[in-house]
Amino acid sequence: MDATEQAEAAPASELAQEQAQHAPEHGYTANKDAYLRRLKRIEGQVRGIARMVDEDKYCIDILTQVSAVTKALHAVSLGLVEEHIGHCVVGAAAEPDPEARAEAIDAKVKEAAEAIGRLLR
């Protein structure tokens, strides 16, 4: 890499580092890799179900696999809800201004309740 390329790459690298530092940390961030592995496994299961349909497999066998995927997605969902409560709701409770804290807690709890409601439908 010559000096011009290095000069062009440096701002891009610095920008990427700055964006990473300012990227919001979510409750699941610490377990992001585990969630991605689980989701990739689920993605593979869904492709397998599509293949089963394409190959005219027995309907009960397909439904069994759909049930397994549904259960796996519920496990991911519950993990994300737990992470949201443990990080986002607790983080809202750490707000120093009492009025802002109450509003932030209410908003985060409402988000969690609505998400749980969507999961239960």
Side-chain angles (χ1 to χ4, degrees):
M1 183 182 292
D2 67 16
T4 304
E5 291 172 330
Q6 287 177 340
E8 290 174 357
S13 175
E14 290 170 12
L15 178 62
Q17 288 175 347
E18 184 177 321
Q19 287 174 340
Q21 290 173 349
H22 292 84
E25 184 172 311
H26 301 289
Y28 64 85
T29 301
N31 298 313
K32 184 177 179 177
D33 290 339
Y35 280 113
L36 288 172
R37 281 192 303 275
R38 291 172 84 178
L39 289 168
K40 287 182 188 298
R41 193 174 321 126
I42 292 167
E43 181 182 21
Q45 288 177 292
V46 171
R47 281 194 304 271
I49 293 169
R51 192 170 33 258
M52 290 175 76
V53 170
D54 187 50
E55 295 172 357
D56 293 319
K57 297 293 182 181
Y58 185 55
C59 53
I60 296 301
D61 294 339
I62 296 170
L63 289 171
T64 299
Q65 293 305 310
V66 168
S67 176
V69 167
T70 301
K71 183 177 177 183
L73 283 172
H74 280 170
V76 169
S77 298
L78 289 174
L80 289 170
V81 167
E82 183 178 338
E83 302 271 12
H84 175 73
I85 292 168
H87 180 268
C88 300
V89 175
V90 170
E95 170 64 44
D97 176 29
E99 189 173 313
R101 179 175 49 240
E103 289 178 22
I105 291 171
D106 286 347
K108 294 299 178 182
V109 169
K110 184 177 180 184
E111 282 179 345
E114 289 172 352
I116 292 167
R118 288 189 299 273
L119 289 171
L120 295 176
R121 280 189 229 146

